[in-house]
Amino acid sequence: MVKKSLLLPLAFLLLFLGGCAEFSGASAGKIIPPSAQVSPLGGKWTVLEELDSNGSEGGAGQPWLGSDVQFAPGVVSFGGHVWDNPAYKIKRVKAEDYLLTKYIPSVGSSGLKSQKVDVITVYASGNYLGEFMKLDDTSMIFFVENKALLLKIVAEEADSTLVAGDTSAQELNQDSREGISGVLLGLRIPAATGYTYQTLWIAADHQQLRPILASEQIFFPRTSGFWELSVQNLPTDGMTDNLLTARNVTAKAPDLRRGNGEREGRAGTEEQTYAEPAERVINYIGNDYIAMEKRTAGINHLQVLPVDKLLSPTEIKVSDLLGDKGFNAYLNAREQAAAALREKGITSISQDESGENFGLIRKNGRWSLVGRIHYQSGGNLEYKDFDLKLIPPANLIFYDALVLSWYNIKDRVPDATDAFTSPNRDIALVKTKTKLTIYPIGADKLGETHLAELELPEGATVIMAEWATGSYVDSWEKSFLAYGAQALADGSVRMR
């Protein structure tokens, strides 16, 4: 129930909406790229109040209260950090509908239902920073780290130290990048029935490890903010069936109903129909795509699906991601695999002219593209995976560099099954069957002494590694904590 103390400021906010100009566009929001040389935001703003999006008063102390948010050409700053070369996207939305997706209740005149406003998303280096909902020229709501902040302009121009090209601003930004790294690590863990999923947050500041955080489900970054991927087991008649759903963590969870195969939802959640009963096992998740194995009716089929359309029956084809050349490479690799089967006397081989049976696996510390071919052998349906020998495109995998040699890692940790290294080249994560060990990196090799060692369940597999560096580490960590992450118990982590 919304307290009266919140109703007054929120009603005040929504009164501004009546004075905004009427725009064309659908209620779900229309993306409008701004001019490359013009920032849609500017000046110096201050936080007047935290609006708790759960419908109660702001948290203890309201730590954002009185802090500044500033915009100058080529620069944006807030939370004590400075980002250069920001990018902006503008969407026009129905005010009331958009506020509801942020858990802010509807207050005020029913005429607000049709009122449209600008919501401006800010990025830096492809990373999401936050969203600003403009109320008028002097007021806006800032959505950041699962918070809704009321801002008011206090100066038409930002502080002079933030002007693009200012030495102090550049030095502050550069200093914030060096020596600080964090990674959101997604795990798939075998369970009594199927799998469970977990996200770990591992961060180090100049090779000093921060508390390790964990949450159930998969928490991952996208250009629209942080999202949650959840896996739900569904009741079936003797069959394994689960459902994958993805949503922006600031949006309402979808209302799932099996009945007539429909469901309700709001912006930031899928609004598709159910697929056929099947067990879906996640192999990889990135910013925009998920690779998985769908097991149904005795067939294990590889799939790549867009995060926004996990329930769609339409699968991503090789040509969608790799173009015609990639598709031809897929067909050639598949034919070589089929020829090897025919040499063994196997002639009942499935056809795949569409190029949909492909996915990703981890091999020697990197993600590799593979295809799958099905065939009959001894009356049983079998399958064989084949290597595509293609580099996964950047729109599928943003960062997948191993800055240390895999052979050097294996020489140091003979039972290593996987490894991940920071873009800052300061920490490495080395996985074995039962442990995840965090090392400092020095002189292009693993440090002599590890920073920490985590016990892992037998069979745990890494399905995601999303890295943050510099000032993004603080932002990601705060967002993960706001999502509900908890520090791992001391007994599960052995520090050096």
Side-chain angles (χ1 to χ4, degrees), residues 17 20-21 66 84 92 106 118 224 256 344 417 446:
L17 303 181
C20 297
D84 54 10
R92 290 172 180 166
S106 173
D118 282 353
S224 56
L256 300 177
K344 296 179 180 180
T417 60
L446 297 177

Side-chain angles (χ1 to χ4, degrees), residues 156-217:
E156 293 296 330
E157 295 183 358
D159 293 343
S160 59
T161 55
L162 292 178
V163 176
D166 182 84
T167 302
S168 61
Q170 289 183 350
E171 288 177 351
L172 175 60
N173 205 25
Q174 181 64 28
D175 289 344
S176 70
R177 291 193 183 107
E178 297 177 352
I180 307 176
S181 299
V183 62
L184 286 168
L185 205 69
L187 297 177
R188 185 187 73 217
I189 303 170
T193 55
Y195 297 88
T196 62
Y197 296 87
Q198 186 181 49
T199 305
L200 300 179
W201 168 252
I202 299 169
D205 191 336
H206 294 86
Q207 298 187 340
Q208 296 297 311
L209 201 64
R210 298 185 180 191
I212 297 174
L213 308 176
S215 76
E216 301 302 321
Q217 308 296 359

Side-chain angles (χ1 to χ4, degrees), residues 283-325:
N283 293 327
Y284 164 82
I285 181 167
N287 299 149
D288 297 313
Y289 296 97
I290 177 174
M292 67 179 184
E293 183 177 73
K294 185 175 74 172
R295 302 171 180 175
T296 181
I299 299 176
N300 295 346
H301 183 76
L302 296 179
Q303 283 186 316
V304 175
L305 297 174
V307 169
D308 295 313
K309 300 289 184 180
L310 291 181
L311 301 180
S312 171
T314 302
E315 302 175 21
I316 295 293
K317 299 179 176 63
V318 171
S319 57
D320 295 331
L321 290 174
L322 304 174
D324 292 339
K325 290 184 178 179

